[in-house]
Amino acid sequence: MKNIYITAFVALGLSLSGCTKLDESLNGQIGNQGVSSGNVAGLLNASYTAMRNPYQGPWGWWSLQEFPSDEAIVPTRGGDWDDNGAWRALHLHRWAADHSRISDVFRDLNSVSYVATNVLQFSPSASQAAQARFLRAFAQFSILDGWGKVPYRDAGEDVTQPSRVRNTSEEIAYLISELTAILPDLPDGPNYSATKDAARMLLMKVYLNKGAFTNRTAPTFDAADMAQVITLADQIINSGKYALSPYYDNFAPTNNLLSKENIFTAQNIGGSDAGGVRDIWNTGLHYNQNPSGINGFATLSDFYRKYEAADQRLGGAYPGVTNVSGLRVGFLVGQQFDQNGALLKDRRGNNLIFTPEVSIIERDPNHLEVAGIRIVKYPVDFANTSTNLAENDWVYYRYADVLLMKAEAQLRSGLTAAALPIVNSLRTARNATPFPALTLDNLLDERGREFIWEGIRRQDLIRFGKYLTPWQEKPTDDPKYLVFPIPDNQLGNTNLPQNPGY
């Protein structure tokens, strides 16, 4: 297994830069050592594992979808969370081509693409090949979303040469063709593997975002593309396999058992083999909460106020969490308590009262630690806090998204009467008041409420034409920020020119 892992990851790391000369000492590591048809399963497993770095937790692709949006912020708290302005740059849309997080995520997403491609060299079964191709398509869709152009290689291609690059239209055509081709060979389950329904959902996202990716300043929505979204949604809905679950059960440590809603997840085995899901709560919790956090990430008061008071997505007490530590799930605002009802304090001895008010730079010493509403999206796995390897399976795709994407495609096709009951069925399940009418504006808000902290908000804002508008703590904007810059360290590849404006 070690040889397989090294083979795949060294090859992909070298492939990104398009270098033309390799140190001879690396030649054995980018060949076929340790790989045969008998251990293709190990290579495929390494491809699934490679997904953890860019996708699981708040440091990778999630950060590039959330912090440039209207629902997440990392306030600089005195000397904490400054990071030379890198976090502020994401929320303010002021990044440059040397932004380290943008560079790291670009590298890690391409790593998934290349590791998955590597599987195809070694005579995988039809199912193994289809799964590898799905993981490659999944990563390439994110690269397309973020950068508008996608490096790629064929299996076995010479990594000493620069990778080729597909432009937006070429990549969209490729994804549609590729996902359609592999769908019959994908398994039906389990949901922590690349399944037929996961491929249908990814195809839905390609068709729904097609006109936004090709024209980000003025997205278009072709009727034939919207019809494809509706057809794919109906295939998933009519299977009868999925239903809406109590909201936070979808993210719980036992979400593999509790959720009837999750369609594509990453399996985590608590205490022994898991990704970075623990950081999704650790980054927002205060130092004096249980578990102790690092007091950083917050949401914005304008976004919080989009919810009705009875909406179950706001959160509350959760078994196995609140009774253990006093911590609630969902939005944490106001005074915080321990499991016995005692008031928690901040490090200055003040009551730990999280405030809706938050600024991108916090200077008041009495407000630094409490500024901003915190979010516990994934209920804490207290059974595995000692290892930081949480049991919660990471959620990529949920049935709720199938419903709302279908409703959006219907709305954009003029089928508003058909779309409204779908959205209201979701709102009723979440204990929210049904809409009297459906508009693009209230549908965007509903997607925000439903998918808060799930790493898709930037994509939604671009598709709905709202990404360049000012919002809380982001006063102005420039159209160049509709895509990220190609990282400086990738520009040695002459097939990968810099995006306009950078």
Side-chain angles (χ1 to χ4, degrees), residues 303-315 427 430-435 446 449:
F303 196 91
Y304 173 71
R305 294 184 182 112
K306 293 179 184 290
Y307 291 83
E308 296 176 338
D311 195 320
Q312 69 172 227
R313 294 170 293 196
L314 284 174
R427 287 184 59 78
R430 305 309 189 209
N431 204 34
T433 305
F435 289 146
E446 189 62 19
R449 285 183 286 263

Side-chain angles (χ1 to χ4, degrees), residues 13 23 84 90 100 114 126 143 146 164 174 177 192-193 212 245 274 303 342 351 383 407 433 435 461 482:
D23 188 318
N84 295 315
L90 288 179
S100 60
Y114 291 125
I143 299 166
R164 289 164 290 162
Y174 165 78
S177 174
Y192 54 79
S193 61
S245 296
F303 196 91
N351 286 342
T433 305
F435 289 146
L461 289 169
L482 287 162

Side-chain angles (χ1 to χ4, degrees), residues 397-434:
Y397 289 158
R398 291 195 287 122
Y399 183 59
D401 203 5
V402 174
L403 297 177
L404 290 188
M405 284 195 289
K406 178 181 177 179
E408 181 181 339
Q410 290 174 320
L411 180 61
R412 295 188 185 280
S413 303
L415 303 173
T416 308
L420 179 60
I422 295 176
V423 177
N424 281 339
S425 70
L426 177 72
R427 287 184 59 78
T428 299
R430 305 309 189 209
N431 204 34
T433 305

Side-chain angles (χ1 to χ4, degrees), residues 14 43 47 52 68 126 132-133 156 170 180 198 206 288 318 335 341 362 369 376 390 401 416 419 439 464 476 487:
L14 292 169
L43 271 177
S47 300
R52 289 177 177 173
R133 291 164 70 182
E170 292 168 338
T180 302
V206 174
N288 293 341
Y318 196 83
Q335 177 66 54
E362 289 286 344
E369 295 185 20
V376 178
D401 203 5
T416 308
T439 68
F464 280 79
T476 59

Side-chain angles (χ1 to χ4, degrees), residues 274-294:
V277 64
R278 167 257 190 183
D279 287 336
I280 207 72
W281 63 71
N282 177 63
T283 45
L285 294 180
H286 188 271
Y287 313 103
N288 293 341
Q289 290 183 284
N290 179 18
S292 178
I294 51 179

Side-chain angles (χ1 to χ4, degrees), residues 435-451:
F435 289 146
L438 186 64
T439 68
L440 289 172
D441 285 343
N442 64 17
L443 180 56
L444 176 61
D445 283 347
E446 189 62 19
R447 287 190 62 82
R449 285 183 286 263
E450 180 65 23
F451 303 115

